[in-house]
DNA sequence: GGAGACATGTAAGTGGTTACATGATTTC
DNA sequence: GAAATCATGTAACCACTTACATGTCTCC
């Protein structure tokens, strides 16, 4: 799903600045989407060009704060785009790519990679657990629980089999 | 990890055509990487320009079959690139993006999305289970088991909580 | 000689990222 | 008045994807 579609959906709830929009994406959709300013502002610009959002500039000097609001046509566009999304997931892992070539890697590097990945998963699990579940819609809670169950599976795997695998590789080598 | 790095690693084992390289990526790294010809041939071209691979054209007429082989400098380059990879994973999900906005979606669409995702996970699990585990290195087996444990977690979640969530949404609406 | 797999490539476009540049507002 | 956070934007680049165009080899 494109960032612009995400913006449309988020603006359904209330008008927001681009900056706030980025915070929302990172904060509440961060477990399956990303956003950078370099992508966000151009996206908002083209959304405005298509009259799917309007923007209200409060300050008049230079770059003022800009409040984006969705239009009627924007609502229609969002509904249309949402109905078209597939159930696809896009997973790319440098971690697994490296481990695939584990036989070319030093044991230290393999262990470092696994520990790093484990730390990342745990940090993300903490973040997910700290989310304000109570104030979310059921759909939003669903995404959090889904992400959580994936993280848990990954942590469990890496903690158990991951270390076992390193032992096998060590044994193969010496 | 870039496609060109992957190619380098795969060519370590034996010289191959671009076509075979793509088959390898899709077949044995498909659970965490992608490859299209439009990306592959330019990548091989720049690898050759950097003298990291050589190519041997067998047929002389037009576009002949081209066997790519890694050079000594290519081996060095691969080792260097491999040592630099981080444990990062890049996960983007249109599925979760849509579910995040479940309150804007018809119940039928929600169910369709979950069923589709479930079918995808199961198909991928079957594919992973059919892989020739015995002839793989321990690192390669590791990536398969990791992917498998993630798929299993997703299937279990969607099969159980997924349906429960739909029931909650249905209940909220009527 | 037709079908289907094998095989190579290009061009245009996409949806970003990274780095940079700037300025406003709040808090101590 | 310094530092941090809030805020907007551009330019260059990147690693792809999609669609297209072409041709070969093998098997029936």
């Amino acid at each position: 799903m494109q960032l612009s579609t995400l913006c449309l959906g988020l603006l359904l709830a209330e008008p927001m600045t681009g900056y706030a929009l980025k915070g929302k994406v990172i904060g509440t959709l961060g477990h399956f989407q990303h956003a950078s300013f370099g992508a966000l502002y151009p996206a908002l610009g083209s959304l405005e060009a298509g009259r799917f959002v309007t923007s209200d500039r409060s300050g008049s000097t230079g770059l003022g704060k800009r409040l984006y609001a969705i239009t009627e046509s924007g609502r229609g566009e969002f509904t249309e785009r949402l109905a078209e999304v597939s159930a696809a997931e896009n997973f790319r892992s440098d971690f697994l790519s490296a481990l695939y070539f584990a036989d070319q890697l030093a044991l230290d590097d393999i262990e470092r990679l696994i520990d790093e990945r484990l730390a990342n998963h745990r940090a993300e699990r903490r973040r997910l657990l700290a989310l304000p579940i109570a104030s979310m819609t059921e759909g939003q809670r669903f995404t959090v629980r889904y992400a959580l169950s994936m993280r848990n599976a990954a942590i469990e795997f890496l903690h158990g089999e991951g270390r076992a695998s390193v032992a096998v590789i060590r044994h193969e080598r010496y």
Side-chain angles (χ1 to χ4, degrees), chain A:
Chain A
M1 188 181 292
Q2 281 171 244
L3 187 52
S4 65
T5 309
L6 242 41
C7 289
L8 246 23
L10 256 13
L11 287 174
L12 241 33
E14 50 173 342
M16 256 180 275
T17 65
Y19 189 86
L21 231 20
K22 195 203 172 199
K24 269 264 152 108
V25 173
I26 288 175
T28 72
L29 296 90
H31 40 303
F32 55 85
Q33 287 291 346
H34 310 239
S36 65
F37 288 128
L40 185 68
Y41 288 114
L44 285 169
S46 74
L47 239 25
E48 193 170 16
R51 307 202 181 259
F52 299 130
V53 302
T54 58
S55 79
D56 191 25
R57 188 154 239 166
S58 53
S60 51
T61 54
L63 300 170
K65 192 175 181 173
R66 214 186 247 271
L67 249 202
Y68 287 93
I70 192 166
T71 63
E72 254 331 294
S73 127
R75 281 168 205 275
E77 178 73 8
F78 178 69
T79 308
E80 229 168 85
R81 291 197 197 176
L82 196 57
E84 272 165 23
V85 307
S86 74
E89 279 179 347
N90 194 337
F91 176 64
R92 268 179 201 242
S93 175
D94 276 15
F95 170 66
L96 289 184
S97 301
L99 266 292
Y100 184 90
F101 297 111
D103 51 337
Q104 305 293 322
L105 234 30
L107 267 173
D108 279 356
D109 281 330
I110 298 174
E111 275 173 345
R112 189 207 91 218
L113 283 167
I114 292 179
D115 288 346
E116 256 181 52
R117 193 83 283 268
L118 210 36
N120 285 347
H121 280 311
R122 284 179 170 141
E124 177 63 7
R125 177 165 65 178
R126 273 196 302 280
R127 196 189 71 84
L128 287 166
L129 254 12
L131 251 26
I133 287 284
S135 64
M136 292 180 170
T137 66
E138 177 61 20
Q140 289 162 12
R141 279 194 289 270
F142 176 89
T143 69
V144 174
R145 290 197 300 253
Y146 183 93
L148 225 28
S149 79
M150 299 287 271
R151 296 286 168 176
N152 282 331
I155 291 167
E156 201 181 317
F157 179 86
L158 290 179
H159 191 70
E161 278 204 70
R163 293 183 192 288
S165 228
V166 173
V168 170
I169 292 170
R170 177 177 288 117
H171 185 257
E172 278 176 0
R173 286 195 194 176
Y174 303 108

